[in-house]
Amino acid sequence: MGSDDESDSGSIDVIIDYEDSQPATPPMEQPNVVGAAAAQAPIISSYNDKIRPLLDVIDRLRLLMVMKEGIQLPTIVVVGDQSSGKSSVLESLAGVNLPRSQGICTRVPLIIKLQNHARPRPELYLEYNGKMVPVEEPQIATAINIATDEIAGPGKSISDIPLTLVVRKDGVPDLTMVDLPGITRVPVHGQPDNIYEQIRDIIMQYITPKESIILNVLSATVDFSTCESIRMSQQVDKNGERTLAVVTKVDRAPEGLVDKVTADDVNIGLGYVCVRNRIGDESYEEARKEEARLFETNAHLSCIDKSIVGVHVLAQNLVRIQANAIAKCLPEIVKNISAKLDANVSELEKMPKALTSDADATQAMMRIIQAAKESLKKLLWRGEFDEYPEDNTKHGTARFVEMLNRFSDELHNCEESNLSKDFLTEEIKGLEDAKGIELPNFLPFEAFLRILRKKVERISYLPIKFTEKYWDYIDDVVMSVLTRHWEMYYHVKVFAKGAAHNLVQKLREQSINRVKEIVEMEKLTGYTCNPDYMMEWNELMKEQDHFINQISGTDMGPLPCCVNLQGFGEIQVEHLRQHSNVSILQQAFALKMRMVAYWKIFKVRLVDSMALHLQYHVHNLVHNDIDEIMKELMGPDGHGIKMMLVESPAIVAKREKLKNSIKVLKESKDSVAKVMDRIVVYDAYLV
């Protein structure tokens, strides 16, 4: 691969790599760390002076824990397989000794804030568990171990709670990085069996946000494509657009390294930097001298482009990439902070104020009841669904029509509406049972009533089932609406839902009783003034002579087993030939046609009656009966008012959470506002 400048040419141009405008120092003229530091000190100083405010504001947002508000920050995340040399790279950048041990050295996310300043005495301190602990440089590793034990517990367990190390020191690059536990698949003694899964989850948490910059530490001694850290980073950054690789231990496997970093088989979009870490008791100055000598004199390593070798190159690349990422993300961060702040303020304003008097509680209760009443009117009466635009189950008027249509279909398709089954059998039996001393050409009305009552009785369960189902639906809608309106008053909500349920059950019982009365009225007698009855009966009777002739055999020809009857289709008639009395067949046919014509009227009338009855009760519910809930809540002793004055712990916690969130977001917004206008200034200065 080419230089890192080439690999990052697509990044944002708000902050340009300032080093490009400086004279390049030949590699052979950088024999030691002092010379390298001297050569780059003006560059770091000039560049860092300009990006330091940007980095400070991001660090400030991170300190405010704005990421807990869903605001993602540009972060350099350091990942690598266990023993890849990750800690050694960070030591070289920070110039301080970090913990070293067999197995996992980093057991918690370690946020390392490097701040370049010219004071002769370095300042180092740790931040964790809400406290700041100053540390002397020789004791930094011990202090980190102590803090880690306090966060993650003693032993070898890990935690996702971060620990922050601040290093203010002359000559360090201005960087903020998050060092994560090294990846291991095999737990050692004292580690949980799922140590790999725990580490993976922490790493994915940090590298998944698109704002994260992944610093992937790879050992030159392994095949890069087999590294677990590469596999993880490729899951979230497939093309490597935000991944930078640093190759360690180059002195152990120099042969073929130049091909590995130029072929780039694992998609490292921000390029590679090859480094030699400090070995044994080497000082950082000695380590840099050895690094420069190694890349100049080793037959294999000297072939690597000098623009991608050395800790100082790594520092410069990280500073540039970090600055560009911050400048690129900052406008979106401002936008997200403002949006989240507005949403939280709006949500807090919608929350009810804490009630302090009976008068306040009474007014609040009446206001909520009226709001719930209006919502129910919209859903169950007026057909206005603006409060539940996406929840079709709450669209009461539309659902009632659907339920009514299903009831009508059931009624029209039930067994009693089968006109051809056992044709005339029931009518003949009814006529025989109703025999008496009477004129022979009169149909006994009692025979019609007996058949009608049996048919109505056999379908009586359908309107009752429909009524029960509809009131169950009404109960669900009422409960849902009351839950939403009383959400902020838990104690009253439970009581109000109970009162509403009792009310709906009372209306349900009344409604079912009324439906039973309607059914009983239909069984009492047969009556209609609908002219369709006589028209239908007269039309049906036109088929009587033809039908009787087909059964009695008065027509010439063989007797058919079926007769095609208009309005009925194919009718089985063999069972009717046992009746030699043509008169009884004629009477049965006339009785059947009367019942058919009347049953059509009955079914339509029953559906209409159910629709009007249920609409009437729902109208009374949403306009009048719902007020009973208010009366029950008030009660003779005012117990509902007293409950209104007691806020649920969940509401108190939610209000405090929103207040704290708003405070954090306001501070974050103020912090960002101080540097937003500088981005343009930096652009003009650097370009």
Side-chain angles (χ1 to χ4, degrees):
M1 169 171 267
S3 70
D4 186 66
D5 293 337
E6 292 173 349
S7 66
D8 195 43
S9 59
S11 62
I12 189 167
D13 292 328
V14 175
I15 297 183
I16 309 251
D17 189 354
Y18 186 72
E19 292 86 347
D20 290 347
S21 64
Q22 306 300 314
T25 303
M28 290 303 292
E29 295 178 16
Q30 300 175 355
N32 57 61
V33 73
V34 176
Q40 65 172 310
I43 297 176
I44 292 178
S45 176
S46 178
Y47 192 65
N48 287 354
D49 286 347
K50 296 304 172 184
I51 64 96
R52 183 70 252 170
L54 294 177
L55 188 53
D56 282 342
V57 75
I58 296 298
D59 286 342
R60 172 62 178 161
L61 297 181
R62 188 173 284 108
L63 184 63
L64 289 169
M65 292 187 290
V66 75
M67 296 176 78
K68 288 187 176 181
E69 304 297 332
I71 311 297
Q72 298 298 334
L73 302 177
T75 304
I76 298 175
V77 182
V78 186
V79 298
D81 292 4
Q82 185 175 306
S83 302
S84 62
K86 186 164 53 69
S87 295
S88 298
V89 170
L90 296 174
E91 284 183 343
S92 298
L93 291 170
V96 296
N97 295 336
L98 298 175
R100 290 173 177 272
S101 66
Q102 293 296 321
I104 298 177
C105 301
T106 306
R107 298 195 291 123
V108 300
L110 178 62
I111 301 173
I112 304 175
K113 297 180 182 178
L114 305 181
Q115 299 176 358
N116 180 43
H117 75 160
R119 296 178 186 176
R121 181 179 175 83
E123 294 179 13
L124 297 93
Y125 57 88
L126 296 174
E127 296 173 340
Y128 62 99
N129 291 347
K131 57 187 176 182
M132 185 180 75
V133 180
V135 181
E136 294 296 326
E137 189 168 352
Q139 282 77 47
I140 188 63
T142 301
I144 290 176
N145 285 331
I146 293 172
T148 299
D149 287 345
E150 184 173 329
I151 295 171
K156 298 181 180 180
S157 297
I158 65 172
S159 170
D160 61 354
I161 300 174
L163 164 66
T164 299
L165 167 64
V166 179
V167 178
R168 292 175 177 168
K169 191 175 182 181
D170 186 24
V172 300
D174 278 290
L175 289 171
T176 297
M177 301 170 289
V178 181
D179 181 25
L180 299 180
I183 304 167
T184 179
R185 281 192 170 274
V186 181
V188 299
H189 180 69
Q191 291 178 342
D193 293 338
N194 66 338
I195 186 67
Y196 169 77
E197 287 76 14
Q198 290 186 30
I199 294 174
R200 178 200 61 200
D201 291 346
I202 294 176
I203 290 175
M204 296 305 289
Q205 174 187 338
Y206 276 88
I207 68 174
T208 298
K210 66 181 186 301
E211 295 82 2
S212 295
I213 303 156
I214 305 170
L215 180 58
N216 213 320
V217 181
L218 309 171
S219 172
T221 60
V222 300
D223 181 353
F224 295 165
S225 62
T226 65
C227 294
E228 189 70 17
S229 61
I230 287 291
R231 191 186 67 82
M232 288 186 183
S233 63
Q234 286 181 339
Q235 289 181 19
V236 297
D237 184 30
K238 185 175 182 180
N239 297 323
E241 295 173 355
R242 51 188 179 89
T243 301
L244 173 68
V246 55
V247 183
T248 65
K249 304 181 181 180
V250 295
D251 51 328
R252 298 187 187 180
E255 187 174 352
L257 182 59
V258 64
D259 295 328
K260 292 171 71 173
V261 299
T262 53
D264 187 25
D265 294 329
V266 291
N267 291 336
I268 304 297
L270 297 180
Y272 292 82
V273 177
C274 302
V275 300
R276 174 197 179 275
N277 288 325
R278 189 166 59 99
I279 298 175
D281 295 330
E282 286 180 345
S283 67
Y284 292 104
E285 180 180 349
E286 292 169 343
R288 297 288 66 79
K289 287 180 180 179
E290 285 300 313
E291 180 182 59
R293 185 192 61 78
L294 178 67
F295 283 109
E296 286 296 331
T297 60
N298 185 280
H300 300 286
L301 300 179
S302 60
C303 299
I304 301 176
D305 193 316
K306 297 302 181 289
S307 65
I308 62 170
V309 298
V311 171
H312 68 285
V313 170
L314 174 63
Q316 291 171 3
N317 286 350
L318 287 174
V319 168
R320 174 178 53 79
I321 293 169
Q322 174 184 251
N324 285 338
I326 292 174
K328 178 181 179 180
C329 295
L330 210 50
E332 186 68 18
I333 291 172
V334 173
K335 178 182 175 182
N336 292 339
I337 289 175
S338 296
K340 181 69 173 179
L341 178 59
D342 291 343
N344 284 1
V345 169
S346 176
E347 187 174 0
L348 183 62
E349 290 175 349
K350 290 178 182 178
M351 291 190 69
K353 303 295 186 293
L355 304 176
T356 57
S357 67
D358 288 355
D360 290 343
T362 302
Q363 289 181 356
M365 181 179 290
M366 294 178 65
R367 185 171 61 251
I368 294 172
I369 286 290
Q370 289 305 312
K373 188 175 179 180
E374 180 63 20
S375 295
L376 290 173
K377 286 179 182 178
K378 288 181 176 182
L379 296 174
L380 299 177
W381 188 251
R382 298 204 298 263
E384 300 171 7
F385 311 129
D386 54 291
E387 295 181 14
Y388 296 88
E390 304 299 327
D391 189 355
N392 294 337
T393 62
K394 302 298 186 297
H395 299 177
T397 53
R399 300 292 77 76
F400 176 60
V401 172
E402 289 179 357
M403 296 169 71
L404 188 66
N405 288 338
R406 283 197 294 271
F407 165 65
S408 177
D409 291 341
E410 282 189 76
L411 187 60
H412 283 78
N413 296 321
C414 69
E415 188 68 21
E416 294 307 313
S417 296
N418 186 344
L419 304 178
S420 60
K421 182 181 179 183
D422 297 330
F423 195 70
L424 299 187
T425 299
E426 189 172 23
E427 286 73 20
I428 292 172
K429 185 177 186 307
L431 289 169
E432 290 177 346
D433 291 343
K435 283 180 180 178
I437 299 179
E438 56 191 11
L439 294 174
N441 60 342
F442 280 87
L443 280 178
F445 186 61
E446 183 63 28
F448 178 84
L449 280 182
R450 286 178 182 177
I451 295 173
L452 175 63
R453 287 166 182 164
K454 288 179 181 179
K455 288 175 72 68
V456 172
E457 180 64 30
R458 287 195 286 260
I459 62 90
S460 61
Y461 73 96
L462 289 175
I464 294 174
K465 184 181 74 171
F466 168 51
T467 304
E468 291 173 340
K469 187 175 181 180
Y470 182 62
W471 281 106
D472 288 343
Y473 172 75
I474 294 295
D475 189 53
D476 288 341
V477 173
V478 171
M479 293 301 106
S480 177
V481 169
L482 289 181
T483 297
R484 181 168 66 88
H485 284 281
W486 287 103
E487 189 62 41
M488 302 302 177
Y489 300 98
Y490 174 78
H491 300 286
V492 186
K493 179 181 73 174
V494 175
F495 195 81
K497 289 176 66 176
H501 180 70
N502 292 338
L503 172 62
V504 172
Q505 291 305 306
K506 183 179 75 172
L507 297 176
R508 182 179 189 268
E509 185 177 353
Q510 292 175 358
S511 181
I512 291 173
N513 289 336
R514 176 57 183 158
V515 170
K516 289 179 179 179
E517 285 184 356
I518 292 173
V519 172
E520 289 302 314
M521 286 190 296
E522 293 291 351
K523 290 162 62 177
L524 184 64
T525 188
Y527 173 77
T528 181
C529 63
N530 191 330
D532 289 348
Y533 167 73
M534 288 303 299
M535 292 174 59
E536 180 74 13
W537 181 74
N538 287 328
E539 190 66 27
L540 291 170
M541 288 300 292
K542 292 178 181 179
E543 297 283 323
Q544 184 181 36
D545 292 342
H546 171 67
F547 180 76
I548 296 299
N549 290 338
Q550 291 290 314
I551 295 175
S552 62
T554 54
D555 290 344
M556 298 302 292
L559 295 177
C561 61
C562 295
V563 175
N564 193 308
L565 195 61
Q566 185 176 352
F568 295 83
E570 291 287 334
I571 301 294
Q572 294 285 338
V573 295
E574 286 187 348
H575 66 284
L576 297 176
R577 291 198 173 94
Q578 61 181 304
H579 301 285
S580 58
N581 188 342
V582 174
S583 176
I584 194 70
L585 290 176
Q586 290 173 333
Q587 286 184 323
F589 187 90
L591 181 58
K592 177 74 173 182
M593 297 309 116
R594 283 179 171 83
M595 184 57 67
V596 169
Y598 187 73
W599 193 249
K600 288 184 178 180
I601 302 295
F602 163 77
K603 289 187 291 186
V604 173
R605 183 167 64 199
L606 183 60
V607 173
D608 290 347
S609 298
M610 295 294 296
L612 294 173
H613 160 70
L614 292 173
Q615 282 290 84
Y616 174 75
H617 272 273
V618 167
H619 175 273
N620 287 344
L621 168 65
V622 300
H623 287 85
N624 303 312
D625 297 337
I626 200 74
D627 292 334
E628 292 184 19
I629 298 176
M630 179 72 174
K631 297 176 184 177
E632 190 168 345
L633 285 177
M634 296 290 286
D637 57 352
H639 58 275
I641 299 299
K642 293 182 176 63
M643 286 190 293
M644 288 284 287
L645 297 175
V646 181
E647 282 195 304
S648 73
I651 297 301
V652 174
K654 182 178 180 179
R655 184 182 290 112
E656 288 305 308
K657 182 179 179 181
L658 283 172
K659 287 181 178 179
N660 292 335
S661 175
I662 289 170
K663 180 182 177 182
V664 167
L665 291 169
K666 282 183 175 179
E667 289 185 32
S668 300
K669 188 174 182 179
D670 292 342
S671 298
V672 175
K674 295 175 182 177
V675 300
M676 277 303 295
D677 57 341
R678 300 188 188 184
I679 294 181
V680 178
V681 175
Y682 300 152
D683 191 19
Y685 175 83
L686 295 172
V687 174

